[in-house]
Amino acid sequence: MATVATQAPRRETGGIPAEVTSFVGRRQASADVKRALSESRLVTLTGVGGVGKTRLALHVAQSVSRAFPHGAWMVELAKLDDPSLVGNAVVTALRLTDSITDDPETVLTNYLENKRLLLVLDNCEHLLDSCARLTHSMLVAAPNVRVLATSREPLNISGEHIWPVPPLSVPTAGASLTEESPHRYEALQLFEQRASAAVPGFTISPANEETVARLCQQLEGLPLAIELAAVRLRALSVEEILERLEDRYRLLTGGGREAPPRHQSLRAAIEWSFDLCSELERTLWATLSVFAGDFDMEAAQVVCAVAGLAPDDVFNGMVGLVEKSVMSRKAGHARYQMLETIRQFGREQLNPIDERAIREGHRDYYLRLVEEAEADWFGPHQMDLLRRFAVEQPNIFAALEFCLTEAGEARTGMRLAYLLWWYWFGVSIRDGRYWLGRALALDQQPSNERAQALWVDGWFSSSQGNYKHALPVLHECRDLARELGDELTLGHAMQFIGLAKWFEGRLPEAVTAHEEALVHYRAAGAVNSLTALAMIDLGMTVAMLGDPQRDVALCEQAIAMCQERGERWAQSWGLWHIAFARWLLGDLAQVNTYARSALELKRHLDHVGVAWCVELLAWSAAASGQAEHAAVLFGIAETLWEPIGGGRLSGWQGLIDWSDERREQARKSLGAQAFQAAFDRGRGLAIDVAFAYALGESPTVAGAEESFEGRASTRQADEQLTRREREVAELVANGLSNKDVAATLVISQRTAECHVDHILRKLGFTSRTQVAAWFIEQRN
């Protein structure tokens, strides 16, 4: 297996999903694949669909993950249709949140260069060329990275070890069976285990072993076909299953000669499963195939209405499909999903006219969700929205793909893409720019949708440091908004023109643009996260021009506006900007207070903002003579900047210079060797311990257990809160002032103030924002 360095970097947990059912057989196969991985940096598991390539790859990855200090990571490619998104899929799987470069291949090669990890690329066959090119680039750039791929065809690149995955072992035709046979043949083991799960108490016995053996032979040891057959025992005997299956096979003997026999067998098993469904279930199976990922009952009922299915029919039909294992219900969630092979089969049952209508219904449903979420963003539900749409992302992508590949739908795709600005910024600017870029290229006619898409694209380009693209795009948006008489969009254009000029160092022009943006926002009557952010960004520019007091005033005004609505995202940036203003004024104690409050809010909302907070805390520590503390924080910040693609401080040279000065100050104070040791400790911290350290919850970095002790003390303090104090904490979390808390609970304002003071003391906090962050975290 891969050799671990003597001083390995911190171990990542990785991204391999846990096995939820027992892994049957494959002992020798697992050993062989492990051996192949020890000898080759690229091992490709090949074989027909349904043979168990993915399951074997995940089992091997789980068992060898400890040999890879930076983890084993799963990249699911089955849901991707666009070859150009392969790199983005790997970036997302590795949780590399964003980058100042648009090229995912560059992001990956830079990030992986010094990493020792295992990548599992699953289902490469429909994206073969893209997977091959990206894999080659990663392996050349990263000598300690290994790749375990699954594909129906080899990647065919240098150094590839091709490992064909065989079917599960089955008795040969006519072989005599013994009492040990069910445990000797993998296919029979799998059938028995899955059958006993479907029908408790089922075992392979002398009375049925020959029939089971024949069934597994007919299914040619293909795991998916065996599992589909086993669940039919709820309604049929083994003999009845075999009889129906054999009839179906005879009907399929005229299939294309070029298709592998096992492929025909798997199709036969799926078609047979389809035939066993009721007419309602078949219609539902085909209709639900338009979903790209998992989905909930509401989505299914709305989309299936296009096919004329009533909500009760959808509910009853889905129950039947789950019973027949055509669909599965995700553990712990009221969400449903299909295996990709089954989904593709269902898609084949739709005629083109019906398919387009159903896909339109699918798109319209997710467009409505996005419209509602964007309208709700300026409020207390931001974390819930981000979590929800992280789950819905495959279906959002499918809806966007429909819009951008069907004639006449590009403008709707543009609307869908720009309304997701809050999601793209919080999760992946790269994905947002990809979809916006495609939509803008397809429909270049002047429209309100184009104007909206332009400001989002310009903003994201500025955030990535691509000002040459950002300013022309934003100028086009400004001119189009003026032509349309759209004050709100004009405000967006001017706000992000100001941002681009601010990042370029053209501060007086940035101030003028931001002030003009606020004039347009007032004319439009707009009060939302972006108007708050415009005030905050104006404050930053005037602070850089020598007026940090005005910065504080603007930020406090914006924060108050956000707190009234329970908004956290813009509020967190306001707190960071106040911390920066205090830095300019030399008030280091207040720098720490505000930066930590910002960090509390950002930790679940804004990965990029977290890095900014830790960076500022490191400066403050260095300036106050806490050199070792500063070095650890700089190490933590370095780790946080790394997934952003090396975009430390978003390429803002003035701040980079300040950061370098503070690093050098700490290095001189400690000495180069001690500084590097502390820096490396910070880089090696697990994320929870790093947060605890940056927030001052854990004074040392000895290990994760100290972070847990800090959390335990917070939980103990929580238990000391009275019922009334918890009520007050909830109202504070919702952004209510002491006066509003008093009115809501029908108590005096003085009593409300006392409750808040008691809560702060018991929880060990210094600000209301920390109470809000704590309460929301407890609730979730």
Side-chain angles (χ1 to χ4, degrees):
M1 208 49 256
T3 303
V4 181
T6 302
Q7 292 183 331
R10 68 182 172 97
R11 186 176 304 281
E12 298 282 0
T13 57
I16 301 297
E19 296 176 300
V20 295
T21 57
S22 57
F23 185 76
V24 178
R26 303 290 199 193
R27 181 176 300 176
Q28 187 60 50
S30 298
D32 290 345
V33 174
K34 292 176 192 177
R35 188 177 305 110
L37 267 177
S38 71
E39 298 169 353
S40 175
R41 295 178 55 220
L42 169 61
V43 175
T44 302
L45 306 184
T46 61
V48 67
V51 78
K53 301 183 294 293
T54 297
R55 192 65 193 273
L56 177 59
L58 293 178
H59 181 73
V60 169
Q62 285 277 17
S63 62
V64 303
S65 61
R66 292 183 62 82
F68 295 90
H70 294 101
W73 301 85
M74 171 76 159
V75 184
E76 297 182 10
L77 300 173
K79 298 183 180 75
L80 286 188
D81 294 323
D82 187 342
S84 67
L85 287 177
V86 171
N88 286 342
V90 180
V91 166
T92 300
L94 288 172
R95 304 168 190 166
L96 309 183
T97 55
D98 226 313
S99 169
I100 60 172
T101 176
D102 294 335
D103 178 22
E105 184 173 323
T106 302
V107 174
L108 289 168
T109 53
N110 288 342
Y111 174 73
L112 295 172
E113 181 181 4
N114 297 314
K115 298 292 184 292
R116 186 183 296 274
L117 57 77
L118 173 66
L119 275 179
V120 179
L121 301 181
D122 190 39
N123 286 297
C124 298
E125 57 271 357
H126 61 304
L127 305 163
L128 211 56
D129 291 342
S130 295
C131 288
R133 284 195 299 270
L134 183 63
T135 300
H136 176 73
S137 297
M138 291 190 296
L139 292 177
V140 169
N144 292 316
V145 167
R146 293 179 187 248
V147 175
L148 180 59
T150 73
S151 177
R152 296 182 188 183
E153 297 179 51
L155 300 186
N156 286 326
I157 61 177
S158 177
E160 181 182 28
H161 182 114
I162 301 168
W163 204 93
V165 178
L168 299 176
S169 60
V170 296
T172 59
S176 60
L177 300 177
T178 66
E179 292 183 359
E180 293 75 31
S181 292
H183 305 99
R184 196 171 74 198
Y185 297 105
E186 296 168 329
L188 272 63
Q189 291 180 47
L190 179 62
F191 185 86
E192 184 176 57
Q193 289 202 14
R194 299 302 186 259
S196 65
V199 181
F202 177 87
T203 60
I204 297 178
S205 66
N208 63 20
E209 63 184 9
E210 289 191 7
T211 308
V212 172
R214 286 171 56 203
L215 178 61
C216 291
Q217 290 164 0
Q218 292 284 4
L219 296 174
E220 295 182 299
L222 293 172
L224 176 57
I226 290 170
E227 294 190 350
L228 286 170
V231 78
R232 298 298 172 259
L233 286 177
R234 296 170 183 163
L236 302 170
S237 68
V238 178
E239 291 82 2
E240 289 172 326
I241 293 172
L242 180 59
E243 180 182 353
R244 293 175 183 233
L245 184 62
E246 288 176 338
D247 287 340
R248 176 53 58 190
Y249 277 10
R250 281 195 289 271
L251 291 173
L252 290 174
T253 54
R257 293 182 180 274
E258 75 283 358
R262 292 192 186 96
H263 187 86
Q264 292 182 342
S265 298
L266 179 60
R267 183 173 182 84
I270 298 173
E271 285 191 339
W272 159 79
S273 185
F274 187 76
D275 289 344
L276 285 178
C277 291
S278 67
E279 190 62 37
L280 169 63
E281 291 167 347
R282 294 177 194 174
T283 302
L284 195 61
W285 180 343
T287 305
L288 294 175
S289 69
V290 302
F291 286 95
D294 56 66
F295 50 91
D296 59 22
M297 182 65 71
E298 179 193 0
Q301 290 175 333
V302 171
V303 174
C304 289
V306 178
L309 297 175
D312 285 347
D313 290 337
V314 175
F315 176 81
N316 293 326
M318 287 178 64
V319 169
L321 291 176
V322 171
E323 280 291 309
K324 294 177 172 66
S325 293
V326 173
M327 273 191 337
S328 60
R329 182 179 184 275
K330 295 186 72 175
H333 302 280
R335 296 184 68 84
Y336 303 85
Q337 60 187 0
M338 288 182 176
L339 293 172
E340 182 64 20
T341 304
I342 292 176
R343 188 184 74 85
Q344 290 178 3
F345 178 86
R347 195 72 167 266
E348 292 174 9
Q349 313 311 308
L350 294 172
N351 66 58
I353 296 176
D354 289 344
E355 181 179 2
R356 164 127 192 189
I358 294 168
R359 292 184 70 193
E360 283 181 354
H362 175 274
R363 185 274 316 279
D364 290 345
Y365 174 77
Y366 286 99
L367 176 59
R368 178 175 62 81
L369 284 190
V370 169
E371 290 171 341
E372 292 173 352
E374 200 272 346
D376 196 31
W377 178 250
F378 188 57
H381 306 302
Q382 291 175 331
M383 287 199 303
D384 294 335
L385 290 171
L386 287 173
R387 291 192 187 101
R388 170 75 188 273
F389 278 81
V391 173
E392 300 291 6
Q393 181 173 287
N395 281 302
I396 297 292
F397 282 9
L400 284 164
E401 187 66 29
F402 169 77
C403 290
L404 303 183
T405 54
E406 293 289 337
E409 300 289 348
R411 192 163 294 182
T412 305
M414 205 178 292
R415 176 173 175 79
L416 182 56
Y418 79 69
L419 283 171
L420 281 163
W421 63 264
W422 53 273
Y423 177 75
W424 303 132
F425 193 86
V427 176
S428 176
I429 287 177
R430 183 185 299 103
D431 285 339
R433 288 204 62 203
Y434 170 80
W435 293 111
L436 286 163
R438 284 182 60 184
L440 287 166
L442 283 172
D443 186 348
Q444 301 185 29
Q445 294 301 310
S447 66
N448 177 265
E449 289 82 2
R450 181 171 180 82
Q452 300 280 3
L454 287 168
W455 70 258
V456 181
D457 186 50
W459 174 23
F460 290 176
S461 299
S462 294
S463 298
Q464 293 181 318
N466 188 354
Y467 314 122
K468 290 183 179 179
H469 175 82
L471 283 170
V473 165
L474 290 166
H475 288 154
E476 181 186 348
C477 175
R478 176 197 61 194
D479 296 342
L480 183 53
R482 285 174 177 166
E483 182 180 335
L484 295 170
D486 186 342
E487 289 284 349
L488 181 61
T489 302
L490 190 52
H492 293 329
M494 296 312 302
Q495 176 177 352
F496 297 114
I497 286 172
L499 182 71
K501 292 185 175 181
W502 163 23
F503 284 158
E504 281 190 317
R506 297 155 65 180
L507 296 180
E509 295 176 60
V511 169
T512 300
H514 276 111
E515 288 178 336
E516 184 178 338
L518 291 173
V519 170
H520 292 300
Y521 284 147
R522 283 192 289 271
V527 179
N528 53 46
S529 295
L530 291 178
T531 57
L533 189 64
M535 296 169 64
I536 292 164
D537 287 348
L538 173 60
M540 183 69 164
T541 53
V542 298
M544 295 293 291
L545 287 170
D547 192 357
Q549 295 290 2
R550 187 185 177 198
D551 179 16
V552 171
L554 285 164
C555 289
E556 287 179 342
Q557 183 181 350
I559 289 170
M561 185 170 72
C562 292
Q563 287 178 335
E564 288 178 5
R565 295 289 294 270
E567 199 273 2
R568 301 181 64 190
W569 175 73
Q571 184 183 164
S572 72
W573 280 110
L575 292 168
W576 186 91
H577 281 270
I578 292 178
F580 182 77
R582 295 301 184 190
W583 163 259
L584 294 175
L585 292 169
D587 187 352
L588 300 183
Q590 289 296 301
V591 170
N592 292 338
T593 297
Y594 283 102
R596 285 173 174 166
S597 295
L599 181 58
E600 281 280 7
L601 291 181
K602 287 180 177 294
R603 66 190 300 176
H604 298 298
L605 278 175
D606 184 352
H607 300 299
V608 176
V610 166
W612 285 86
C613 290
V614 174
E615 182 82 31
L616 190 51
L617 288 168
W619 300 1
S620 178
S624 61
Q626 302 174 62
E628 184 175 4
H629 183 52
V632 174
L633 288 170
F634 276 123
I636 294 171
E638 191 77 9
T639 300
L640 293 169
W641 289 121
E642 193 174 57
I644 304 168
R648 177 174 161 232
L649 292 161
S650 298
W652 188 359
Q653 192 56 50
L655 296 193
I656 291 173
D657 291 343
W658 276 346
S659 179
D660 289 343
E661 290 172 6
R662 301 287 78 75
R663 288 194 190 204
E664 187 59 28
Q665 180 181 358
R667 184 179 287 106
K668 287 181 177 178
S669 178
L670 280 177
Q673 186 173 357
F675 175 88
Q676 192 62 45
F679 183 88
D680 290 342
R681 287 202 304 276
R683 280 184 59 82
L685 289 179
I687 191 65
D688 282 349
V689 181
F691 268 120
Y693 186 80
L695 290 169
E697 296 171 358
S698 176
T700 68
V701 293
E705 63 275 17
E706 296 183 13
S707 172
F708 297 145
E709 289 171 3
R711 289 169 177 255
S713 65
T714 302
R715 285 196 298 270
Q716 291 165 4
D718 165 34
E719 293 169 0
Q720 295 172 12
L721 294 186
T722 66
R723 181 182 61 80
R724 177 64 85 183
E725 286 167 351
R726 287 192 61 81
E727 289 177 345
V728 172
E730 181 176 8
L731 295 174
V732 169
N734 289 331
L736 273 66
S737 66
N738 288 344
K739 181 179 179 181
D740 292 332
V741 169
T744 301
L745 298 179
V746 194
I747 58 178
S748 70
Q749 184 171 338
R750 176 59 185 157
T751 300
E753 291 169 354
C754 288
H755 282 314
V756 172
D757 288 341
H758 293 161
I759 292 167
L760 290 172
R761 186 175 66 255
K762 287 182 178 181
L763 296 178
F765 293 156
T766 58
S767 71
R768 298 168 69 89
T769 56
Q770 288 175 304
V771 174
W774 166 82
F775 185 87
I776 293 171
E777 183 175 358
Q778 296 296 310
R779 184 178 61 191
N780 294 327

